[in-house]
Amino acid sequence: MFSRFSVTGNCWQAINAQVTVKTSGNLRKKHIDFVSKDEQGQSLVSLLKQYPIITSTLEELDFNYCHLNIKHGVWHCEIEPFTASEMVSRIPATRRYLRLTSEQRHRLLSALQLIHQFMEKHFVNH
């Protein structure tokens, strides 16, 4: 069982875009890439790359899944941290819960807040 954390908001632009955050490297030196297959998503990737604080925060976060989706005037960012999940082992048959450390919790909340601020700045009409 995995826990996913998300933030959602409305946007004034009528765009449909999907961006996935891919990781490479190792635990000590992780690198992330924003990836999108659609044209509007590529524009969003270009904007995200202008904010190195978002990149560095995500690089410090241990996650399995991070996805940003904009569709029908609503944006949604979802992150599944590596911890905050239940791990099941078949041999020997055990279950254990991996706790989200305070450091990782801070990074997760920071990442979600930074994405929220980014979306507010670029896609919400004030």
Side-chain angles (χ1 to χ4, degrees), residues 51-68:
Y51 291 86
I53 187 70
I54 294 174
T55 301
S56 64
T57 301
L58 287 170
E59 285 175 343
E60 294 173 358
L61 179 64
D62 297 328
F63 63 92
N64 294 329
Y65 173 88
C66 181
H67 190 78
L68 176 61

Side-chain angles (χ1 to χ4, degrees), residues 63-116:
F63 63 92
N64 294 329
Y65 173 88
C66 181
H67 190 78
L68 176 61
N69 187 33
I70 305 173
K71 193 171 187 178
H72 305 299
V74 176
W75 64 269
H76 181 80
C77 178
E78 190 170 71
I79 301 174
E80 178 185 291
F82 177 74
T83 52
S85 59
E86 184 179 50
M87 299 300 289
V88 177
S89 177
R90 293 182 186 183
I91 301 175
T94 59
R95 291 190 139 161
R96 64 185 176 123
Y97 180 76
L98 298 177
R99 297 183 77 72
L100 189 63
T101 65
S102 60
E103 184 179 81
Q104 286 295 301
R105 182 173 54 249
H106 175 74
R107 290 174 180 162
L108 173 63
L109 294 174
S110 293
L112 291 172
Q113 182 178 14
L114 287 168
I115 294 292
H116 183 268

Side-chain angles (χ1 to χ4, degrees), residues 40-51:
Q40 292 177 328
Q42 292 293 331
S43 299
L44 183 57
V45 166
S46 296
L47 277 174
L48 284 164
K49 288 182 178 180
Q50 295 175 22
Y51 291 86

Side-chain angles (χ1 to χ4, degrees), residues 12-60:
W12 57 272
Q13 291 187 13
I15 65 170
N16 291 318
Q18 295 181 4
V19 175
T20 301
V21 182
K22 302 279 186 176
T23 61
S24 60
N26 60 38
L27 291 175
R28 293 183 190 258
K29 183 133 175 114
K30 185 166 55 170
H31 178 73
I32 64 146
D33 287 310
F34 300 103
V35 179
S36 181
K37 294 180 181 176
D38 53 77
E39 187 175 318
Q40 292 177 328
Q42 292 293 331
S43 299
L44 183 57
V45 166
S46 296
L47 277 174
L48 284 164
K49 288 182 178 180
Q50 295 175 22
Y51 291 86
I53 187 70
I54 294 174
T55 301
S56 64
T57 301
L58 287 170
E59 285 175 343
E60 294 173 358

